Amino acid sequence: MSTEQELPTYLEQNLFYRGRKFNFDVNKLRLPNGVEGNWECIRHPGGALAVPITKEGQLVLVKQYRFAVEKRILEFPAGTLEVDEDASVTIEREIQEETGYEANKWDYLGKFPLAPGYSDEYIYAFLAQELEKLEKPPEQDEDEDIEVVLMSFEEFEQAILSGEIIDGKTIASFFMAKLFLEKN
């Protein structure tokens, strides 16, 4: 199976929306198989996510309100990459802001597209270990209303099966971290 990039031919480009976190465009393309048509795409700078594990082996999650699904969901701390910012810098900032912890050991787990059917966003996943609680955590972003939740690996897996954890990037990153930890 080939994983090399196959670029379409852009026949016409149209930006429909420029937003704070992403742009939305509709482009007339010729796909590698020769088919032509209009395709919509959310253009996103990408995000960084941490799977934080305390010294006691607990996973650190955040429960926060997500307006798109109209409820609070459990997820790992994550954030949008700033312009020209390395994902490792983004996630070090985000874990401190969102959880009040800092990690002394980082491992890069890999990257994956979040919704490749309509977005070019990639998530850069990291394992954050040897956590220390910050004496004075940084201020959260204005729109963040976050509760920190600790779970064991078993509780986390049960929360996936029960439908309590529904965030795709959180579930994917958990299994990446679990495989990484089993091999190391």
Side-chain angles (χ1 to χ4, degrees), residues 126-165:
F126 295 85
L127 179 62
Q129 297 181 88
E130 298 179 14
L131 300 182
E132 290 183 27
K133 196 80 169 139
L134 295 169
E135 285 185 34
K136 189 173 191 287
E139 293 291 317
Q140 293 180 354
D141 292 339
E142 181 182 328
D143 64 336
E144 292 178 325
D145 176 14
I146 295 175
E147 172 190 349
V148 176
V149 176
L150 300 178
M151 287 184 156
S152 69
F153 276 68
E154 184 177 307
E155 289 169 329
F156 186 92
E157 289 175 353
Q158 286 303 311
I160 292 170
L161 293 174
S162 72
E164 183 183 3
I165 294 178

Side-chain angles (χ1 to χ4, degrees), residues 46-96:
L49 174 146
V51 178
I53 303 173
T54 66
K55 292 174 184 173
E56 298 75 31
Q58 297 278 88
L59 295 163
V60 180
L61 292 101
V62 294
K63 188 173 191 174
Q64 63 182 320
Y65 184 77
R66 294 299 195 179
F67 72 90
V69 293
E70 301 175 332
K71 62 182 173 180
R72 294 174 192 279
I73 64 172
L74 282 167
E75 56 192 293
F76 287 129
T80 301
L81 291 135
E82 300 291 335
V83 177
D84 296 324
E85 183 177 56
D86 188 84
S88 63
V89 173
T90 302
I91 197 52
E92 285 185 36
R93 177 185 65 247
E94 292 295 328
I95 195 173
Q96 290 179 21

